[in-house]
Amino acid sequence: MSIRQLHLLVVNGITFIRVPFILSFLVLALVHGWGVQRHLLKEAAAPSDAWAVVALVCLTLSALTDLFDGALARKWKVVTKFGAMCDPLMDKVFYLIVFPTLLWLLPIGKPLERWHALFMVVLTVLYLLRDQWVTFLRSVGTLYGANCAATFLGKFRTAMTFPLCGVIYLYIMLYDYTPDTMTWFRWVVYTGEAVAIFLNFWSLYVYTRNYLPYIKRSISEK
């Protein structure tokens, strides 16, 4: 195996390991959340916080893979079209698992968070719709040899969203212990989510503008 092949193997391995990490987060977070729900209903003892801590670690490691795979690919000069297509796919897997999980966990034992949960529904739908639209734009662009690499804004949106998900989950964890002192943390989370929605719309506009010539061309051709 050549050095280049080894580097490719490492980079692609880091990219794909995001999936088992995020699936582990899903299982651990749901187990802990279900335990909290049963405890609030006085059906069982309080669950071990170790479930939530390990879930947060898995979520963090999954987010970090997005940072290291691209950085190593550029450092080792093994940037490939395969990697460019896999990275946004892994991002979608992250969103599809983390957002619904947070949405389910948010209102458990938190009456004040019901409106927040509704806001998370909007955030989740916007993210998923944006990603599907960008996938469509890229599909059209590939027909005409367009450069379908992620824009800086798209990368920034992703880089901001991953830690935001970790902050939201940490907020959910801490709320169970100090609900009366979480006001400041709640506004940090609200602000982060508002910025995420803004970046989502901005990114949507930029991608649509960039691929609009290809859309017009595809509409006019038979």
Side-chain angles (χ1 to χ4, degrees), residues 69-91:
D69 60 355
L72 288 176
R74 290 186 293 272
K75 179 180 179 180
W76 290 337
K77 298 181 180 179
V78 290
V79 177
T80 63
K81 292 181 179 179
F82 176 78
M85 297 304 292
C86 282
D87 197 55
L89 174 62
M90 295 300 103
D91 294 345

Side-chain angles (χ1 to χ4, degrees), residues 85-221:
M85 297 304 292
C86 282
D87 197 55
L89 174 62
M90 295 300 103
D91 294 345
K92 290 178 178 62
V93 172
F94 185 95
Y95 299 147
L96 283 168
I97 292 176
V98 175
F99 281 150
T101 303
L102 295 176
L103 182 57
W104 183 77
L105 292 171
L106 197 55
I108 296 178
K110 308 173 186 65
L112 294 177
E113 298 303 306
R114 290 173 181 171
W115 286 107
H116 187 185
L118 180 60
F119 190 76
M120 276 295 297
V121 170
V122 175
L123 180 65
T124 301
V125 170
L126 286 176
Y127 259 75
L128 298 182
L129 287 177
R130 177 268 182 196
D131 281 0
Q132 293 305 308
W133 176 245
V134 170
T135 298
F136 167 73
L137 292 176
R138 283 174 168 160
S139 298
V140 174
T142 55
L143 297 175
Y144 303 99
N147 179 7
C148 297
T151 64
F152 172 79
L153 181 58
K155 293 178 180 178
F156 181 75
R157 165 185 172 268
T158 301
M160 180 264 184
T161 303
F162 283 5
L164 175 63
C165 290
V167 169
I168 295 172
Y169 186 62
L170 182 61
Y171 170 75
I172 293 171
M173 289 169 54
L174 296 178
Y175 191 101
D176 294 330
Y177 296 96
T178 56
D180 297 331
T181 59
M182 295 301 292
T183 302
W184 67 272
F185 202 167
R186 183 180 298 117
W187 283 107
V188 169
V189 171
Y190 287 172
T191 301
E193 291 170 353
V195 171
I197 287 181
F198 171 75
L199 289 176
N200 201 68
F201 279 114
W202 189 12
S203 173
L204 187 64
Y205 164 74
V206 169
Y207 272 100
T208 302
R209 181 195 63 192
N210 291 348
Y211 284 89
L212 190 58
Y214 303 110
I215 294 293
K216 291 179 178 178
R217 187 173 170 183
S218 65
I219 291 175
S220 61
E221 291 181 353

